[in-house]
Amino acid sequence: MDKIRRALLGQIAKLTAGAALVPLSSIASAGINDQPPRREGDPEKRYAMLIDLRACIGCQACTVSCHIENEAPLGSFRTIVSQYEVEHEDTGDSATFMLPRLCNHCENPPCVPVCPVQATFQRQDGIVVVDNEVCVGCAYCVQACPYDARFINEYTQTADKCTFCAHRLDVGLLPACVESCVGGARIIGDLRDPESQISRMMKEHYSELMVLKPEMGTAPHVFYLGMDERFVSRPDAKPAIWDVRDQQGEEIGYEFSGH
Amino acid sequence: MNSAVIEVLAPRYGIAWYPWAVQYFFLIAVSYSALLLTVPGLLFGKKNYESLAKVALLVTVSCTLAGPVALLADLHQPLRFWHFYANLTPWSWMSIGSLLLPVYLVLVVAYAWLAWRPAMQAQARGNGWIAKLSGWISLGEWHAPRWMLVATGLGALALSVGIMVYTGAEVAIVKARPLWNTYWLPVMFVLTGVVAAAGLVILINRLMTGNDQEVNEQSLKVIVVTMILSALVAALWVSEGITGFSPSVEQAFASLRGNPEWRAVAIYGLLVGIALTLTAIVTLRRPGWLGRSWIAGLLAVHIGWTFRWMVLMEVQTVAKNTAGYYHYAIEAGSSGLLGIIGTFGLWLAALLIIDILVPWKKSLQASSH
Ligand code: SF4
Ligand code: SF4
């Protein structure tokens, strides 16, 4: 991607992060593929997360603690920290860029209206959840999420994703990833409370915040501080991880069967 | 500059829709397209299209019966299919589809039943278990007036439009996959569906009837026309991407840029498309070549099926978030190869059972009244 487009994308990312502060939805209309009304959850709250990339050391403590807390099957992740090696264009110095990914609990979540049985829905506090007693496992929501935040859980055969640890939030605990973050990079809180840490930080860093894939119009509610525009959308990078092959050309280092 | 970024760690995301989905989209498209091919002969009662209608009716019924099974199998929780009806969700295309599909199926079967009924009743007058069964299936000797056939036919046609729209829209609204997110996709599904249906009609005509030349000729003409339309649509889609008229198509192009496998796919698609169109034209033009229409028939079925395979399966290997492409190797198990073979087996079984029970080659109700 050329420089101008990159800069443009960065701008959109910033603008969208700003626009998302104004809660524009709860407007439900009846058209096909429009957002249905929200249900359950506290209407007084709007949960969101701010990730301070400057504090992320890429230790994957969040990945592991989430995995244990939410019992995701091996090889499937509700959150993960993508890591990139970036070489400086002029000096040749290299640095590592860490990008924690999770469900963005979008204000306009494309995964919700597609669900044919209303198993996926958005709570009034903004958290997008799946009722896996209702889910038929059609995987339509998995296709519709632009962030690969969803997967079909091979144990339950239903859709699975990050819930901001709603079960913990509801009893006053922090999400497992926030709790375990070594650098304190993940800040979760209520955007409707002007005194919450996240509200204060969003105000303070308003112009620097970015969201992922703003061009999708999803209005993500995971905001990144210290973000590099190059990673806002699908990065123009060389995939290294799956290129590890043995002498027969077979992929090695991947031990989860059944994929 | 950008080549200086290496993705060191990223999870692997599996595919979420399995080849079952391809089978469903293929069978249902052949079903509604073959239904269209029955219209002149059966609904309008045009004598010179009756043979075409006979074969097309067999194709549409067998595909309509087998298709929904593949759809059910693509659910990870197939036994929960009743949730669709317990939680009606009018804003979800898939939910709308779950309402249209059963009605469509019933209407197609009723339409065929009425068309085949006079011949079934005649068969029931004979001896043996087939005669007995035919009597049961035709539900007595009473005469079904032609308006019933016309009404169910028109109903099935109306519902088939619903199926075309919903199957197309369901995929085309997915913004997260720019390669799907275009108005042209539903159109392309219908056009390639018609191509495949005409091809399958030619093949069945070759294998199960006397390779009727009129059927071959009519089907080949359908193929030529729809292939030219498909080429136009493809050209429009490409130009939308090149000119940036559609940002989503532009994104779709960008997502494949520099990928040699996708370039090969595009070139292959272009070549088979040209090959089919030319084969169909030459077969039509050369006197005495109509008997070899099955070559074009095979190509046509291949295009209809492969188009869906590329769109539904291969597009899922284009990463949404991470660098590069996933590798999808088709599995041997029921979610892979076995599923594909199984669905075709089911379709074949439906076809053969109808062939045993129904004297479908005899006159249809269209001409007997
Ligand atoms: S990130 Fe994906 S799963 Fe999460 S709310 Fe947005 S679209 Fe839905
Ligand atoms: S997989 Fe489950 S949650 Fe997702 S769209 Fe299908 S039924 Fe809804």
Side-chain angles (χ1 to χ4, degrees):
Chain A
M1 213 182 301
D2 56 72
K3 265 208 177 107
I4 298 175
R5 282 191 53 152
R6 238 176 56 200
L8 186 71
L9 216 54
Q11 277 309 316
I12 305 176
K14 283 180 187 162
L15 287 175
T16 320
L21 284 174
V22 192
L24 33 76
S25 84
S26 61
I27 328 156
S29 50
I32 302 179
N33 212 36
D34 281 343
Q35 294 296 337
R38 298 178 181 184
R39 57 186 151 109
E40 299 175 23
D42 185 351
E44 305 292 309
K45 291 194 162 85
R46 198 336 168 175
Y47 285 111
M49 190 180 280
L50 189 151
I51 301 181
D52 186 350
L53 295 174
R54 303 167 309 184
C56 174
I57 57 167
C59 67
Q60 308 284 358
C62 50
T63 312
V64 175
S65 59
C66 171
H67 220 273
I68 293 167
E69 174 71 27
N70 295 302
E71 299 173 336
L74 225 54
S76 299
F77 303 93
R78 289 184 174 194
T79 187
I80 191 157
V81 185
S82 298
Q83 302 197 351
Y84 299 90
E85 198 177 290
V86 188
E87 205 177 287
H88 194 282
E89 295 156 31
D90 307 321
T91 63
D93 292 346
S94 65
T96 308
F97 183 73
M98 271 41 100
L99 184 57
R101 295 181 188 274
L102 68 158
C103 167
N104 290 286
H105 299 278
C106 308
E107 191 67 3
N108 180 24
C111 57
V112 170
V114 296
C115 179
V117 294
Q118 299 170 47
T120 280
F121 64 97
Q122 187 158 32
R123 306 200 320 182
Q124 302 187 73
D125 55 14
I127 300 182
V128 175
V129 290
V130 183
D131 181 345
N132 74 0
E133 299 279 305
V134 175
C135 171
V136 293
C138 68
Y140 198 5
C141 56
V142 181
Q143 304 290 3
C145 170
Y147 304 97
D148 273 335
R150 290 171 168 262
F151 56 92
I152 295 290
N153 182 314
E154 66 181 69
Y155 301 147
T156 64
Q157 291 294 318
T158 51
D160 198 331
K161 67 182 272 296
C162 155
T163 60
F164 270 171
C165 278
H167 60 291
R168 292 173 61 94
L169 285 177
D170 289 347
V171 295
L173 296 171
L174 288 173
C177 59
V178 176
E179 192 85 78
S180 63
C181 182
V182 180
R186 292 187 183 227
I187 295 116
I188 191 158
D190 177 13
L191 286 185
R192 299 235 166 99
D193 172 7
E195 293 312 313
S196 65
Q197 189 192 357
I198 189 168
S199 294
R200 279 186 280 115
M201 285 188 77
M202 292 211 32
K203 214 153 115 197
E204 185 184 344
H205 300 285
Y206 182 74
S207 57
E208 304 151 67
L209 293 175
M210 284 191 212
V211 292
L212 296 181
K213 288 197 168 181
E215 73 280 8
M216 286 287 157
T218 51
H221 269 51
V222 171
F223 303 93
Y224 293 90
L225 186 55
M227 183 72 180
D228 180 328
E229 296 99 31
R230 273 179 289 184
F231 298 92
V232 160
S233 284
R234 189 179 172 208
D236 203 345
K238 208 174 111 208
I241 183 82
W242 306 116
D243 272 354
V244 190
R245 286 169 198 275
D246 65 15
Q247 281 151 343
Q248 278 76 46
E250 290 286 315
E251 215 172 64
I252 52 173
Y254 187 74
E255 289 168 3
F256 316 115
S257 59
H259 282 258
Chain B
M1 169 192 74
N2 285 313
S3 58
V5 179
I6 299 173
E7 187 169 72
V8 186
L9 191 59
R12 166 185 302 221
Y13 302 99
I15 60 154
W17 283 350
Y18 293 128
W20 295 107
V22 178
Q23 297 302 83
Y24 170 67
F25 274 81
F26 178 72
L27 290 170
I28 208 68
V30 171
S31 152
Y32 62 61
S33 308
L35 182 72
L36 287 178
L37 296 180
T38 67
V39 170
L42 187 51
L43 218 50
F44 298 162
K46 290 231 163 84
K47 262 272 161 248
N48 50 338
Y49 285 97
E50 201 197 330
S51 305
L52 175 69
K54 280 180 197 168
V55 185
L57 192 63
L58 179 67
V59 169
T60 190
V61 175
S62 52
C63 290
T64 313
L65 292 175
V69 180
L71 183 63
L72 216 55
D74 201 42
L75 297 182
H76 288 77
Q77 291 277 5
L79 291 180
R80 290 189 183 173
F81 77 94
W82 59 272
H83 287 196
F84 278 97
Y85 305 101
N87 305 285
L88 295 184
T89 308
W91 55 82
S92 161
W93 277 111
M94 193 182 276
S95 174
I96 294 172
S98 73
L99 293 179
L100 293 175
L101 191 58
V103 186
Y104 172 72
L105 188 143
V106 168
L107 283 170
V108 169
V109 171
Y111 174 60
W113 179 76
L114 287 164
W116 287 332
R117 195 160 168 269
M120 291 287 277
Q121 284 168 327
Q123 185 170 268
R125 284 174 216 121
N127 297 318
W129 64 274
I130 290 197
K132 208 172 220 165
L133 209 56
S134 304
W136 290 338
I137 294 173
S138 42
L139 297 180
E141 279 287 343
W142 55 278
H143 167 74
R146 183 163 159 82
W147 66 262
M148 285 176 76
L149 176 101
V150 175
T152 49
L154 289 178
L157 273 179
L159 263 294
S160 79
V161 175
I163 303 279
M164 290 174 200
V165 172
Y166 114 79
T167 45
E170 180 175 80
V171 181
I173 53 129
V174 178
K175 279 210 192 98
R177 297 206 179 278
L179 281 156
W180 290 350
N181 189 221
T182 158
Y183 291 111
W184 297 118
L185 185 66
V187 182
M188 227 27 197
F189 273 150
V190 174
L191 290 175
T192 54
V194 174
V195 169
L200 199 54
V201 163
I202 293 177
L203 294 181
I204 302 280
N205 181 44
R206 168 82 172 73
L207 295 170
M208 298 177 81
T209 70
N211 203 7
D212 185 312
Q213 303 302 320
E214 210 172 25
V215 173
N216 283 341
E217 191 183 341
Q218 288 157 349
S219 306
L220 285 174
K221 282 182 182 155
V222 169
I223 289 179
V224 173
V225 173
T226 35
M227 280 309 289
I228 291 171
L229 289 175
S230 310
L232 268 174
V233 170
L236 279 169
W237 180 74
V238 170
S239 58
E240 278 190 359
I242 293 174
T243 57
F245 177 77
S246 157
S248 145
V249 179
E250 206 182 10
Q251 265 182 42
F253 280 21
S255 69
L256 303 181
R257 192 164 40 214
N259 182 306
E261 282 165 37
W262 278 93
R263 190 175 314 130
V265 165
I267 294 172
Y268 180 75
L270 191 68
L271 289 182
V272 232
I274 293 173
L276 171 60
T277 317
L278 290 182
T279 313
I281 291 175
V282 170
T283 317
L284 276 170
R285 287 241 166 145
R286 287 284 166 96
W289 277 36
L290 276 177
R292 288 184 217 132
S293 300
W294 58 272
I295 302 173
L298 273 179
L299 272 174
V301 172
H302 171 74
I303 285 184
W305 191 83
T306 315
F307 179 73
R308 279 156 185 79
W309 180 270
M310 294 319 296
V311 168
L312 294 171
M313 299 308 293
E314 295 303 325
V315 169
Q316 289 189 71
T317 67
V318 181
K320 291 181 197 164
N321 254 327
T322 46
Y325 301 83
Y326 312 129
H327 180 67
Y328 173 65
I330 179 161
E331 282 173 45
S334 71
S335 57
L337 207 55
L338 213 61
I340 300 179
I341 298 172
T343 343
F344 280 137
L346 192 69
W347 167 74
L348 203 63
L351 189 82
L352 294 179
I353 290 172
I354 298 173
D355 187 44
I356 292 170
L357 288 180
V358 183
W360 59 274
K361 292 171 205 168
K362 300 259 167 57
S363 329
L364 299 168
Q365 205 220 39
S367 54
S368 53
H369 293 276

